[in-house]
């Protein structure tokens, strides 16, 4: 998504050229290029698919809507398996129109996980609940903190349900250190994503994530925290930013790798 | 602030006409009308000043900036005392430019409270830390949850430092029930404010608060939660909304009182 202007073959070539060993994919560009074709393209290039984004949107009340959401999530699990990734990222869903019932919405997420978890595990796919920043609680995701995501995930086996640690969503939380430790101890950090927090936020607050190093997030702190919690998996960079999307995609890819080296990999100067 | 288009005398007259017994004031319009004049205007109308907004912005690093912030906060305390209110609302401050040190910023807030708390208490004024929504953590307030505000406040006597419970900032938090109870038990709910959460958020996310009843917040739940926690103080409505500010101020005042009656006071139909 960081370089969504790049067609999949160009993205893959760009990553290979830069020595990046894996890629996190979104369902829409995969569907556009073709599922089997995408899987072959990435595998032939020697890249790992680190995660597929996204399932979720579990909070509907209407039975028909709920059934449709579950069917779509089963399809997402199948796609993840076909792509050879073990992780499906979940954006759990906001409040149904007109509802103010946060606890009810959260319970419906748990109900959906109970159905979807075994289905996913049978296909070698783990579900990863992504706590989204609280500014998305009404319209996207009623799971707003890592603690809350873990409260949900821990109702299920870790090989079925874990969490996403995304710096953009969690950086402000004074409990994030203890909760990363908790997630690591339970073997539940299924995905680790980076984006920086920059202000002012744009209207709609969806496409204003910052390039690594441009904002308020202490990237090395997060790197060290997940490492200390035992996480040894891939690090994804996931930036939604109108400015980045308007630029040359290869240039953005190169810049992102440079920023990663400078702000995440390199020790403090 | 809900009707900032109304000059202070018109606001006071409007509130009296509508039978509203108190008003929360901001420093800027008070300064414009004159401190003594404002105090006399409100007192002559028989209104209580429920709170003064705002002190804070404690997170600067530079000694000169810190001294200036403390001096300004002492002035705010004096103004609160002159207006006859016992509550000064604090917006604690964001990260200094270029800083990523959240724990450091939070400790500087505690340092400032230690200096300001006794000064305020001597003048009959309580400081009320307002946890702001996490979307303001970088640029306005590194205190983002009620739990965090209480962790800070509880380092000091309750007659010096308490908290603000504002629905707009706290509605998403799955810990808010337990934290309101904690705040009430400690006698630390110094202020209770209402605004609704509506989407999409406008650019800058400052002026998109919703009129009571228009959004995702369960107002009666909050009313009952603070009451169960022992709160018997005033209920303020504080809405920053470009749409409301563009309308006739008296009409907005009337609408706000109607909404308050419908969504806060009235039992569920």
């Amino acid at each position: 998504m960081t370089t969504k202007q790049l067609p999949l073959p160009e993205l893959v070539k760009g990553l290979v050229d830069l020595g990046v060993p894996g890629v996190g994919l979104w369902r829409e560009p995969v569907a556009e290029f073709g599922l089997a074709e995408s899987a072959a393209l990435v595998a032939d290039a020697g890249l790992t698919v680190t995660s597929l984004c996204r399932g979720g949107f579990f909070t509907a009340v209407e039975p028909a809507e709920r059934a449709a959401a579950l069917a779509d999530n089963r399809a997402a699990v199948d796609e993840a398996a076909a792509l050879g990734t073990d992780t499906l990222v979940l954006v759990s869903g906001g409040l149904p129109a007109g509802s103010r019932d946060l606890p009810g919405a959260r319970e419906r997420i748990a109900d959906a996980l109970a159905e979807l978890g075994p289905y996913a595990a049978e296909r070698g796919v783990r579900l990863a609940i992504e706590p989204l920043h609280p500014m998305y609680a009404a319209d996207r995701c009623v799971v707003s903190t890592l603690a809350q995501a873990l409260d949900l995930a821990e109702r299920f086996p870790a090989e079925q349900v874990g969490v996403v640690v995304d710096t953009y969503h969690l950086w402000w939380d004074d409990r994030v250190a203890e909760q990363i430790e908790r997630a690591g101890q339970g073997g539940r950090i299924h995905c680790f994503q980076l984006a920086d927090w920059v202000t002012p936020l744009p209207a709609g607050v969806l496409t204003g994530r910052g390039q690594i190093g441009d904002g308020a997030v202490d990237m090395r702190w997060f790197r060290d925290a997940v490492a200390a919690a035992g996480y040894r998996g891939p690090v994804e960079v996931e930036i939604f930013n109108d400015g980045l999307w308007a630029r040359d995609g290869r240039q953005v890819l190169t810049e992102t790798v440079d920023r990663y080296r400078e702000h995440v990999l390199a020790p403090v100067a």
Side-chain angles (χ1 to χ4, degrees), chain A residues 223-248:
Chain A
R223 172 200 71 181
D224 292 345
V226 298
Y231 184 72
R232 299 290 178 268
V235 185
E236 300 182 351
V237 176
E238 187 191 56
I239 307 172
F240 304 170
N241 183 296
D242 290 318
L244 293 185
W245 290 335
R247 286 168 50 191
D248 175 78

Side-chain angles (χ1 to χ4, degrees), chain A residues 121-132:
Chain A
E122 281 165 23
R123 284 150 188 84
V125 176
R126 308 171 306 178
L127 306 174
I129 304 170
E130 180 160 17
L132 255 58

Side-chain angles (χ1 to χ4, degrees), chain A residues 8 25 30 33-45 47 49 79 81-84:
Chain A
L8 210 47
L25 295 176
V30 165
F33 193 70
L35 178 61
E37 292 79 1
S38 300
L41 176 76
V42 176
D44 290 349
L47 293 180
V49 180
E79 290 159 32
L83 290 166

Side-chain angles (χ1 to χ4, degrees), chain A residues 38 40 72 90 97 101 110-111 156 245 260:
Chain A
S38 300
D72 185 58
L90 303 179
D101 179 16
D111 293 345
F156 309 96
W245 290 335
Y260 179 79

Side-chain angles (χ1 to χ4, degrees), chain A residues 113-144:
Chain A
L113 292 172
E115 290 202 38
L116 206 58
Y119 181 89
E122 281 165 23
R123 284 150 188 84
V125 176
R126 308 171 306 178
L127 306 174
I129 304 170
E130 180 160 17
L132 255 58
H133 193 284
M135 68 188 176
Y136 302 117
D139 48 6
R140 272 192 165 61
C141 185
V142 295
V143 181
S144 305

Side-chain angles (χ1 to χ4, degrees), chain A residues 55-60 66 69-70 73 90-93 108-109 112-113 116:
Chain A
F57 293 93
F58 295 129
T59 51
R66 293 188 59 71
L70 278 170
N73 275 280
L90 303 179
V91 173
S92 297
R108 290 193 295 281
I109 297 168
L113 292 172
L116 206 58

Side-chain angles (χ1 to χ4, degrees), chain A residues 41-184:
Chain A
L41 176 76
V42 176
D44 290 349
L47 293 180
T48 305
V49 180
T50 51
S51 71
L52 181 65
C53 207
R54 62 191 187 191
F57 293 93
F58 295 129
T59 51
V61 173
E62 291 299 313
E65 268 185 84
R66 293 188 59 71
L70 278 170
D72 185 58
N73 275 280
R74 281 187 212 99
V77 167
D78 296 344
E79 290 159 32
L83 290 166
T85 180
D86 61 0
T87 303
L88 177 66
V89 173
L90 303 179
V91 173
S92 297
L95 288 171
S99 170
R100 298 181 176 116
D101 179 16
L102 284 170
R106 288 164 180 158
E107 271 313 297
R108 290 193 295 281
I109 297 168
D111 293 345
L113 292 172
E115 290 202 38
L116 206 58
Y119 181 89
E122 281 165 23
R123 284 150 188 84
V125 176
R126 308 171 306 178
L127 306 174
I129 304 170
E130 180 160 17
L132 255 58
H133 193 284
M135 68 188 176
Y136 302 117
D139 48 6
R140 272 192 165 61
C141 185
V142 295
V143 181
S144 305
T145 64
L146 189 52
Q148 204 189 343
L150 286 166
D151 287 346
L152 259 173
E154 287 170 359
R155 300 199 202 177
F156 309 96
E159 62 273 18
Q160 287 184 17
V161 186
V163 297
V164 180
V165 173
D166 184 315
T167 61
Y168 188 77
H169 298 301
L170 304 178
W171 74 278
W172 58 271
D173 186 354
D174 69 332
R175 302 170 76 203
V176 72
E178 74 191 40
Q179 297 301 318
I180 287 175
E181 195 183 335
R182 170 184 170 195

